Amino acid sequence: HDGPEFRYLLELIHETDDRAAVLRFVRFQDKKRALLSRLLVRRASALVLGLSNFRDLEIARTKGKKPFLLRPRPGPERPELANFNFSVSHEGDWVVLASEP
């Protein structure tokens, strides 16, 4: 189940703890949902920042395990992004991300 495509996508996440969290799941379906949620967070952050890849992104987690964009933060020239925030949820076959903006 953890074929080359899965491993490639997992390597796009450079935070060791996040990769390890994905791999802790026993069922492959759960691993896929965890991986997809982490990729969605990075894609949304990259889009908001105008980046073409995830290389310069760093996602951290609150004490409650909620992900947030640690760096780079949106610059002062983009005041509408000062409170950039997102939330990810997964249930069954669905993985969703909501963000502001």
mmCIF file of all heavy atoms in Angstrom, residues 9-53:
data_model
loop_
_atom_site.group_PDB
_atom_site.id
_atom_site.type_symbol
_atom_site.label_atom_id
_atom_site.label_comp_id
_atom_site.label_asym_id
_atom_site.label_seq_id
_atom_site.Cartn_x
_atom_site.Cartn_y
_atom_site.Cartn_z
ATOM 1 N N LEU A 9 4.875 11.611 -2.117
ATOM 2 C CA LEU A 9 4.042 12.651 -1.511
ATOM 3 C C LEU A 9 4.425 12.882 -0.050
ATOM 4 O O LEU A 9 4.442 14.025 0.424
ATOM 5 C CB LEU A 9 2.565 12.288 -1.636
ATOM 6 C CG LEU A 9 2.015 12.297 -3.060
ATOM 7 C CD1 LEU A 9 0.613 11.706 -3.098
ATOM 8 C CD2 LEU A 9 2.049 13.696 -3.653
ATOM 9 N N LEU A 10 4.747 11.827 0.652
ATOM 10 C CA LEU A 10 5.162 11.957 2.052
ATOM 11 C C LEU A 10 6.447 12.783 2.162
ATOM 12 O O LEU A 10 6.602 13.591 3.083
ATOM 13 C CB LEU A 10 5.346 10.570 2.672
ATOM 14 C CG LEU A 10 5.626 10.534 4.170
ATOM 15 C CD1 LEU A 10 4.449 11.104 4.957
ATOM 16 C CD2 LEU A 10 5.918 9.105 4.611
ATOM 17 N N GLU A 11 7.358 12.614 1.226
ATOM 18 C CA GLU A 11 8.619 13.361 1.254
ATOM 19 C C GLU A 11 8.428 14.860 0.998
ATOM 20 O O GLU A 11 9.324 15.656 1.282
ATOM 21 C CB GLU A 11 9.609 12.769 0.248
ATOM 22 C CG GLU A 11 10.170 11.440 0.671
ATOM 23 C CD GLU A 11 10.894 11.494 2.011
ATOM 24 O OE1 GLU A 11 11.678 12.442 2.243
ATOM 25 O OE2 GLU A 11 10.671 10.588 2.835
ATOM 26 N N LEU A 12 7.272 15.267 0.464
ATOM 27 C CA LEU A 12 6.996 16.695 0.282
ATOM 28 C C LEU A 12 6.806 17.403 1.620
ATOM 29 O O LEU A 12 6.868 18.624 1.693
ATOM 30 C CB LEU A 12 5.749 16.892 -0.592
ATOM 31 C CG LEU A 12 5.859 16.447 -2.043
ATOM 32 C CD1 LEU A 12 4.510 16.594 -2.739
ATOM 33 C CD2 LEU A 12 6.940 17.217 -2.772
ATOM 34 N N ILE A 13 6.574 16.618 2.650
ATOM 35 C CA ILE A 13 6.417 17.160 4.000
ATOM 36 C C ILE A 13 7.766 17.057 4.685
ATOM 37 O O ILE A 13 8.216 15.965 5.018
ATOM 38 C CB ILE A 13 5.335 16.374 4.771
ATOM 39 C CG1 ILE A 13 4.015 16.489 4.039
ATOM 40 C CG2 ILE A 13 5.240 16.852 6.209
ATOM 41 C CD1 ILE A 13 2.945 15.582 4.543
ATOM 42 N N HIS A 14 8.439 18.202 4.879
ATOM 43 C CA HIS A 14 9.801 18.108 5.413
ATOM 44 C C HIS A 14 9.865 18.114 6.941
ATOM 45 O O HIS A 14 10.911 17.856 7.504
ATOM 46 C CB HIS A 14 10.711 19.188 4.795
ATOM 47 C CG HIS A 14 10.325 20.582 5.124
ATOM 48 N ND1 HIS A 14 9.572 21.351 4.274
ATOM 49 C CD2 HIS A 14 10.584 21.342 6.199
ATOM 50 C CE1 HIS A 14 9.377 22.540 4.819
ATOM 51 N NE2 HIS A 14 9.970 22.565 5.980
ATOM 52 N N GLU A 15 8.735 18.366 7.623
ATOM 53 C CA GLU A 15 8.750 18.306 9.083
ATOM 54 C C GLU A 15 8.701 16.837 9.522
ATOM 55 O O GLU A 15 7.737 16.126 9.249
ATOM 56 C CB GLU A 15 7.554 19.064 9.676
ATOM 57 C CG GLU A 15 7.582 20.555 9.420
ATOM 58 C CD GLU A 15 6.916 20.949 8.099
ATOM 59 O OE1 GLU A 15 6.458 20.055 7.356
ATOM 60 O OE2 GLU A 15 6.884 22.146 7.811
ATOM 61 N N THR A 16 9.738 16.414 10.187
ATOM 62 C CA THR A 16 9.883 15.013 10.600
ATOM 63 C C THR A 16 8.712 14.539 11.446
ATOM 64 O O THR A 16 8.214 13.423 11.250
ATOM 65 C CB THR A 16 11.200 14.841 11.380
ATOM 66 O OG1 THR A 16 12.271 15.328 10.575
ATOM 67 C CG2 THR A 16 11.451 13.393 11.729
ATOM 68 N N ASP A 17 8.257 15.359 12.378
ATOM 69 C CA ASP A 17 7.155 14.951 13.253
ATOM 70 C C ASP A 17 5.870 14.707 12.469
ATOM 71 O O ASP A 17 5.116 13.786 12.779
ATOM 72 C CB ASP A 17 6.898 16.012 14.329
ATOM 73 C CG ASP A 17 8.012 16.067 15.363
ATOM 74 O OD1 ASP A 17 8.831 15.128 15.423
ATOM 75 O OD2 ASP A 17 8.057 17.048 16.125
ATOM 76 N N ASP A 18 5.610 15.544 11.463
ATOM 77 C CA ASP A 18 4.407 15.357 10.658
ATOM 78 C C ASP A 18 4.478 14.086 9.815
ATOM 79 O O ASP A 18 3.491 13.370 9.680
ATOM 80 C CB ASP A 18 4.168 16.574 9.757
ATOM 81 C CG ASP A 18 3.058 17.476 10.270
ATOM 82 O OD1 ASP A 18 2.506 17.191 11.352
ATOM 83 O OD2 ASP A 18 2.738 18.446 9.588
ATOM 84 N N ARG A 19 5.648 13.809 9.254
ATOM 85 C CA ARG A 19 5.811 12.554 8.491
ATOM 86 C C ARG A 19 5.608 11.356 9.406
ATOM 87 O O ARG A 19 4.923 10.396 9.061
ATOM 88 C CB ARG A 19 7.183 12.492 7.830
ATOM 89 C CG ARG A 19 7.280 13.302 6.562
ATOM 90 C CD ARG A 19 8.460 12.906 5.713
ATOM 91 N NE ARG A 19 9.691 12.699 6.423
ATOM 92 C CZ ARG A 19 10.619 13.629 6.648
ATOM 93 N NH1 ARG A 19 10.445 14.857 6.207
ATOM 94 N NH2 ARG A 19 11.722 13.342 7.298
ATOM 95 N N ALA A 20 6.204 11.417 10.589
ATOM 96 C CA ALA A 20 6.079 10.308 11.538
ATOM 97 C C ALA A 20 4.630 10.115 11.972
ATOM 98 O O ALA A 20 4.162 8.978 12.123
ATOM 99 C CB ALA A 20 6.970 10.556 12.751
ATOM 100 N N ALA A 21 3.895 11.207 12.148
ATOM 101 C CA ALA A 21 2.490 11.111 12.555
ATOM 102 C C ALA A 21 1.663 10.392 11.493
ATOM 103 O O ALA A 21 0.772 9.598 11.827
ATOM 104 C CB ALA A 21 1.932 12.502 12.826
ATOM 105 N N VAL A 22 1.953 10.660 10.234
ATOM 106 C CA VAL A 22 1.247 9.974 9.144
ATOM 107 C C VAL A 22 1.518 8.471 9.218
ATOM 108 O O VAL A 22 0.607 7.648 9.104
ATOM 109 C CB VAL A 22 1.672 10.533 7.768
ATOM 110 C CG1 VAL A 22 1.167 9.649 6.633
ATOM 111 C CG2 VAL A 22 1.199 11.962 7.597
ATOM 112 N N LEU A 23 2.759 8.112 9.428
ATOM 113 C CA LEU A 23 3.149 6.700 9.407
ATOM 114 C C LEU A 23 2.713 5.929 10.646
ATOM 115 O O LEU A 23 2.718 4.695 10.642
ATOM 116 C CB LEU A 23 4.664 6.592 9.217
ATOM 117 C CG LEU A 23 5.171 7.102 7.873
ATOM 118 C CD1 LEU A 23 6.691 7.072 7.831
ATOM 119 C CD2 LEU A 23 4.560 6.321 6.722
ATOM 120 N N ARG A 24 2.330 6.630 11.707
ATOM 121 C CA ARG A 24 1.870 5.942 12.919
ATOM 122 C C ARG A 24 0.513 5.257 12.729
ATOM 123 O O ARG A 24 0.175 4.334 13.462
ATOM 124 C CB ARG A 24 1.780 6.915 14.091
ATOM 125 C CG ARG A 24 3.088 7.042 14.849
ATOM 126 C CD ARG A 24 2.904 7.690 16.196
ATOM 127 N NE ARG A 24 2.543 9.090 16.119
ATOM 128 C CZ ARG A 24 3.409 10.097 15.999
ATOM 129 N NH1 ARG A 24 4.699 9.851 15.945
ATOM 130 N NH2 ARG A 24 2.988 11.334 15.949
ATOM 131 N N PHE A 25 -0.250 5.713 11.743
ATOM 132 C CA PHE A 25 -1.541 5.078 11.509
ATOM 133 C C PHE A 25 -1.326 3.663 11.008
ATOM 134 O O PHE A 25 -0.411 3.394 10.228
ATOM 135 C CB PHE A 25 -2.367 5.873 10.487
ATOM 136 C CG PHE A 25 -2.923 7.145 11.052
ATOM 137 C CD1 PHE A 25 -2.267 8.342 10.869
ATOM 138 C CD2 PHE A 25 -4.106 7.130 11.778
ATOM 139 C CE1 PHE A 25 -2.765 9.519 11.396
ATOM 140 C CE2 PHE A 25 -4.615 8.298 12.307
ATOM 141 C CZ PHE A 25 -3.955 9.498 12.119
ATOM 142 N N VAL A 26 -2.157 2.756 11.455
ATOM 143 C CA VAL A 26 -2.034 1.347 11.084
ATOM 144 C C VAL A 26 -2.690 1.097 9.726
ATOM 145 O O VAL A 26 -2.090 0.493 8.847
ATOM 146 C CB VAL A 26 -2.666 0.442 12.171
ATOM 147 C CG1 VAL A 26 -2.664 -1.013 11.732
ATOM 148 C CG2 VAL A 26 -1.918 0.626 13.483
ATOM 149 N N ARG A 27 -3.924 1.557 9.572
ATOM 150 C CA ARG A 27 -4.661 1.327 8.325
ATOM 151 C C ARG A 27 -4.188 2.293 7.247
ATOM 152 O O ARG A 27 -4.004 3.486 7.500
ATOM 153 C CB ARG A 27 -6.155 1.505 8.564
ATOM 154 C CG ARG A 27 -6.743 0.464 9.492
ATOM 155 C CD ARG A 27 -8.236 0.636 9.713
ATOM 156 N NE ARG A 27 -8.909 1.014 8.488
ATOM 157 C CZ ARG A 27 -9.925 1.872 8.441
ATOM 158 N NH1 ARG A 27 -10.391 2.429 9.529
ATOM 159 N NH2 ARG A 27 -10.496 2.176 7.288
ATOM 160 N N PHE A 28 -4.008 1.770 6.033
ATOM 161 C CA PHE A 28 -3.527 2.609 4.940
ATOM 162 C C PHE A 28 -4.499 3.740 4.629
ATOM 163 O O PHE A 28 -4.083 4.858 4.306
ATOM 164 C CB PHE A 28 -3.256 1.772 3.684
ATOM 165 C CG PHE A 28 -2.659 2.563 2.562
ATOM 166 C CD1 PHE A 28 -1.400 3.132 2.701
ATOM 167 C CD2 PHE A 28 -3.353 2.759 1.388
ATOM 168 C CE1 PHE A 28 -0.841 3.882 1.683
ATOM 169 C CE2 PHE A 28 -2.800 3.502 0.355
ATOM 170 C CZ PHE A 28 -1.544 4.073 0.505
ATOM 171 N N GLN A 29 -5.805 3.488 4.729
ATOM 172 C CA GLN A 29 -6.792 4.542 4.480
ATOM 173 C C GLN A 29 -6.594 5.719 5.438
ATOM 174 O O GLN A 29 -6.733 6.874 5.050
ATOM 175 C CB GLN A 29 -8.219 3.991 4.618
ATOM 176 C CG GLN A 29 -8.590 2.984 3.561
ATOM 177 C CD GLN A 29 -8.573 3.593 2.160
ATOM 178 O OE1 GLN A 29 -8.855 4.754 1.965
ATOM 179 N NE2 GLN A 29 -8.207 2.786 1.180
ATOM 180 N N ASP A 30 -6.266 5.426 6.688
ATOM 181 C CA ASP A 30 -6.016 6.486 7.673
ATOM 182 C C ASP A 30 -4.724 7.234 7.349
ATOM 183 O O ASP A 30 -4.652 8.447 7.515
ATOM 184 C CB ASP A 30 -5.959 5.899 9.082
ATOM 185 C CG ASP A 30 -7.289 5.304 9.516
ATOM 186 O OD1 ASP A 30 -8.346 5.795 9.064
ATOM 187 O OD2 ASP A 30 -7.271 4.339 10.302
ATOM 188 N N LYS A 31 -3.726 6.505 6.887
ATOM 189 C CA LYS A 31 -2.467 7.150 6.476
ATOM 190 C C LYS A 31 -2.715 8.114 5.320
ATOM 191 O O LYS A 31 -2.187 9.225 5.302
ATOM 192 C CB LYS A 31 -1.429 6.106 6.046
ATOM 193 C CG LYS A 31 -0.830 5.317 7.170
ATOM 194 C CD LYS A 31 0.190 4.321 6.627
ATOM 195 C CE LYS A 31 0.697 3.439 7.739
ATOM 196 N NZ LYS A 31 1.718 2.496 7.284
ATOM 197 N N LYS A 32 -3.515 7.674 4.353
ATOM 198 C CA LYS A 32 -3.817 8.536 3.204
ATOM 199 C C LYS A 32 -4.545 9.802 3.636
ATOM 200 O O LYS A 32 -4.223 10.891 3.165
ATOM 201 C CB LYS A 32 -4.662 7.788 2.163
ATOM 202 C CG LYS A 32 -3.882 6.792 1.353
ATOM 203 C CD LYS A 32 -4.606 6.297 0.120
ATOM 204 C CE LYS A 32 -6.024 5.906 0.307
ATOM 205 N NZ LYS A 32 -6.642 5.299 -0.885
ATOM 206 N N ARG A 33 -5.531 9.673 4.518
ATOM 207 C CA ARG A 33 -6.248 10.859 5.000
ATOM 208 C C ARG A 33 -5.310 11.802 5.745
ATOM 209 O O ARG A 33 -5.371 13.018 5.565
ATOM 210 C CB ARG A 33 -7.419 10.452 5.889
ATOM 211 C CG ARG A 33 -8.636 10.026 5.113
ATOM 212 C CD ARG A 33 -9.824 9.842 6.036
ATOM 213 N NE ARG A 33 -9.730 8.623 6.820
ATOM 214 C CZ ARG A 33 -10.110 7.431 6.380
ATOM 215 N NH1 ARG A 33 -10.606 7.301 5.175
ATOM 216 N NH2 ARG A 33 -9.993 6.384 7.149
ATOM 217 N N ALA A 34 -4.452 11.266 6.579
ATOM 218 C CA ALA A 34 -3.506 12.099 7.327
ATOM 219 C C ALA A 34 -2.540 12.807 6.376
ATOM 220 O O ALA A 34 -2.245 13.996 6.542
ATOM 221 C CB ALA A 34 -2.732 11.244 8.333
ATOM 222 N N LEU A 35 -2.057 12.082 5.376
ATOM 223 C CA LEU A 35 -1.147 12.674 4.399
ATOM 224 C C LEU A 35 -1.853 13.775 3.608
ATOM 225 O O LEU A 35 -1.317 14.876 3.434
ATOM 226 C CB LEU A 35 -0.603 11.597 3.458
ATOM 227 C CG LEU A 35 0.284 12.073 2.313
ATOM 228 C CD1 LEU A 35 1.499 12.819 2.827
ATOM 229 C CD2 LEU A 35 0.695 10.894 1.439
ATOM 230 N N LEU A 36 -3.052 13.492 3.143
ATOM 231 C CA LEU A 36 -3.785 14.474 2.359
ATOM 232 C C LEU A 36 -4.065 15.736 3.170
ATOM 233 O O LEU A 36 -3.933 16.849 2.660
ATOM 234 C CB LEU A 36 -5.092 13.873 1.839
ATOM 235 C CG LEU A 36 -5.928 14.785 0.944
ATOM 236 C CD1 LEU A 36 -5.119 15.285 -0.244
ATOM 237 C CD2 LEU A 36 -7.172 14.072 0.482
ATOM 238 N N SER A 37 -4.423 15.591 4.430
ATOM 239 C CA SER A 37 -4.691 16.777 5.238
ATOM 240 C C SER A 37 -3.436 17.639 5.370
ATOM 241 O O SER A 37 -3.508 18.868 5.288
ATOM 242 C CB SER A 37 -5.235 16.392 6.615
ATOM 243 O OG SER A 37 -4.262 15.775 7.413
ATOM 244 N N ARG A 38 -2.291 17.019 5.515
ATOM 245 C CA ARG A 38 -1.042 17.780 5.633
ATOM 246 C C ARG A 38 -0.655 18.438 4.311
ATOM 247 O O ARG A 38 -0.147 19.552 4.278
ATOM 248 C CB ARG A 38 0.059 16.873 6.158
ATOM 249 C CG ARG A 38 -0.102 16.617 7.653
ATOM 250 C CD ARG A 38 0.556 15.344 8.116
ATOM 251 N NE ARG A 38 0.478 15.202 9.563
ATOM 252 C CZ ARG A 38 -0.576 14.704 10.213
ATOM 253 N NH1 ARG A 38 -1.656 14.322 9.552
ATOM 254 N NH2 ARG A 38 -0.566 14.604 11.529
ATOM 255 N N LEU A 39 -0.912 17.760 3.206
ATOM 256 C CA LEU A 39 -0.634 18.356 1.897
ATOM 257 C C LEU A 39 -1.589 19.524 1.615
ATOM 258 O O LEU A 39 -1.167 20.542 1.048
ATOM 259 C CB LEU A 39 -0.733 17.305 0.802
ATOM 260 C CG LEU A 39 0.360 16.234 0.815
ATOM 261 C CD1 LEU A 39 0.057 15.144 -0.200
ATOM 262 C CD2 LEU A 39 1.730 16.843 0.567
ATOM 263 N N LEU A 40 -2.841 19.403 2.008
ATOM 264 C CA LEU A 40 -3.795 20.503 1.826
ATOM 265 C C LEU A 40 -3.352 21.753 2.593
ATOM 266 O O LEU A 40 -3.445 22.864 2.079
ATOM 267 C CB LEU A 40 -5.191 20.085 2.288
ATOM 268 C CG LEU A 40 -6.009 19.232 1.337
ATOM 269 C CD1 LEU A 40 -7.273 18.729 2.028
ATOM 270 C CD2 LEU A 40 -6.364 20.015 0.088
ATOM 271 N N VAL A 41 -2.878 21.569 3.811
ATOM 272 C CA VAL A 41 -2.388 22.699 4.615
ATOM 273 C C VAL A 41 -1.248 23.400 3.889
ATOM 274 O O VAL A 41 -1.221 24.636 3.783
ATOM 275 C CB VAL A 41 -1.925 22.207 6.005
ATOM 276 C CG1 VAL A 41 -1.048 23.230 6.701
ATOM 277 C CG2 VAL A 41 -3.123 21.851 6.861
ATOM 278 N N ARG A 42 -0.321 22.643 3.350
ATOM 279 C CA ARG A 42 0.822 23.230 2.668
ATOM 280 C C ARG A 42 0.421 23.901 1.356
ATOM 281 O O ARG A 42 0.904 24.967 1.020
ATOM 282 C CB ARG A 42 1.891 22.165 2.459
ATOM 283 C CG ARG A 42 2.622 21.887 3.769
ATOM 284 C CD ARG A 42 3.232 20.499 3.839
ATOM 285 N NE ARG A 42 3.870 20.301 5.135
ATOM 286 C CZ ARG A 42 3.197 19.971 6.247
ATOM 287 N NH1 ARG A 42 1.896 19.788 6.224
ATOM 288 N NH2 ARG A 42 3.847 19.825 7.393
ATOM 289 N N ARG A 43 -0.494 23.285 0.630
ATOM 290 C CA ARG A 43 -0.939 23.878 -0.629
ATOM 291 C C ARG A 43 -1.685 25.184 -0.385
ATOM 292 O O ARG A 43 -1.454 26.171 -1.077
ATOM 293 C CB ARG A 43 -1.820 22.884 -1.384
ATOM 294 C CG ARG A 43 -2.339 23.418 -2.691
ATOM 295 C CD ARG A 43 -1.209 23.686 -3.670
ATOM 296 N NE ARG A 43 -1.761 24.162 -4.922
ATOM 297 C CZ ARG A 43 -1.200 25.066 -5.692
ATOM 298 N NH1 ARG A 43 -0.034 25.593 -5.355
ATOM 299 N NH2 ARG A 43 -1.762 25.447 -6.799
ATOM 300 N N ALA A 44 -2.572 25.213 0.590
ATOM 301 C CA ALA A 44 -3.305 26.438 0.908
ATOM 302 C C ALA A 44 -2.342 27.543 1.342
ATOM 303 O O ALA A 44 -2.463 28.693 0.906
ATOM 304 C CB ALA A 44 -4.338 26.173 2.004
ATOM 305 N N SER A 45 -1.374 27.209 2.168
ATOM 306 C CA SER A 45 -0.394 28.195 2.631
ATOM 307 C C SER A 45 0.438 28.719 1.470
ATOM 308 O O SER A 45 0.676 29.927 1.356
ATOM 309 C CB SER A 45 0.516 27.583 3.701
ATOM 310 O OG SER A 45 -0.229 27.193 4.833
ATOM 311 N N ALA A 46 0.875 27.823 0.598
ATOM 312 C CA ALA A 46 1.666 28.239 -0.559
ATOM 313 C C ALA A 46 0.859 29.155 -1.469
ATOM 314 O O ALA A 46 1.371 30.173 -1.953
ATOM 315 C CB ALA A 46 2.168 27.012 -1.328
ATOM 316 N N LEU A 47 -0.409 28.818 -1.713
ATOM 317 C CA LEU A 47 -1.254 29.655 -2.560
ATOM 318 C C LEU A 47 -1.413 31.057 -1.989
ATOM 319 O O LEU A 47 -1.293 32.049 -2.709
ATOM 320 C CB LEU A 47 -2.632 29.013 -2.744
ATOM 321 C CG LEU A 47 -2.730 27.903 -3.765
ATOM 322 C CD1 LEU A 47 -4.108 27.252 -3.708
ATOM 323 C CD2 LEU A 47 -2.456 28.424 -5.164
ATOM 324 N N VAL A 48 -1.682 31.146 -0.695
ATOM 325 C CA VAL A 48 -1.875 32.450 -0.057
ATOM 326 C C VAL A 48 -0.606 33.288 -0.149
ATOM 327 O O VAL A 48 -0.663 34.502 -0.362
ATOM 328 C CB VAL A 48 -2.312 32.261 1.415
ATOM 329 C CG1 VAL A 48 -2.139 33.523 2.218
ATOM 330 C CG2 VAL A 48 -3.758 31.804 1.461
ATOM 331 N N LEU A 49 0.539 32.632 -0.022
ATOM 332 C CA LEU A 49 1.817 33.349 -0.047
ATOM 333 C C LEU A 49 2.363 33.554 -1.459
ATOM 334 O O LEU A 49 3.393 34.203 -1.638
ATOM 335 C CB LEU A 49 2.848 32.602 0.796
ATOM 336 C CG LEU A 49 2.547 32.542 2.292
ATOM 337 C CD1 LEU A 49 3.493 31.578 2.984
ATOM 338 C CD2 LEU A 49 2.616 33.923 2.915
ATOM 339 N N GLY A 50 1.726 32.968 -2.453
ATOM 340 C CA GLY A 50 2.207 33.096 -3.821
ATOM 341 C C GLY A 50 3.429 32.248 -4.121
ATOM 342 O O GLY A 50 4.208 32.569 -5.012
ATOM 343 N N LEU A 51 3.579 31.150 -3.398
ATOM 344 C CA LEU A 51 4.719 30.248 -3.603
ATOM 345 C C LEU A 51 4.327 29.118 -4.545
ATOM 346 O O LEU A 51 3.176 28.695 -4.574
ATOM 347 C CB LEU A 51 5.184 29.662 -2.266
ATOM 348 C CG LEU A 51 5.596 30.666 -1.195
ATOM 349 C CD1 LEU A 51 5.895 29.948 0.115
ATOM 350 C CD2 LEU A 51 6.804 31.467 -1.656
ATOM 351 N N SER A 52 5.290 28.615 -5.283
ATOM 352 C CA SER A 52 5.002 27.544 -6.235
ATOM 353 C C SER A 52 5.295 26.150 -5.673
ATOM 354 O O SER A 52 5.028 25.151 -6.325
ATOM 355 C CB SER A 52 5.799 27.752 -7.523
ATOM 356 O OG SER A 52 7.184 27.732 -7.241
ATOM 357 N N ASN A 53 5.861 26.086 -4.463
ATOM 358 C CA ASN A 53 6.141 24.787 -3.852
ATOM 359 C C ASN A 53 6.102 24.926 -2.331
ATOM 360 O O ASN A 53 5.873 26.008 -1.813
ATOM 361 C CB ASN A 53 7.490 24.230 -4.330
ATOM 362 C CG ASN A 53 8.636 25.152 -4.004
ATOM 363 O OD1 ASN A 53 8.848 25.515 -2.859
ATOM 364 N ND2 ASN A 53 9.394 25.549 -5.016
#
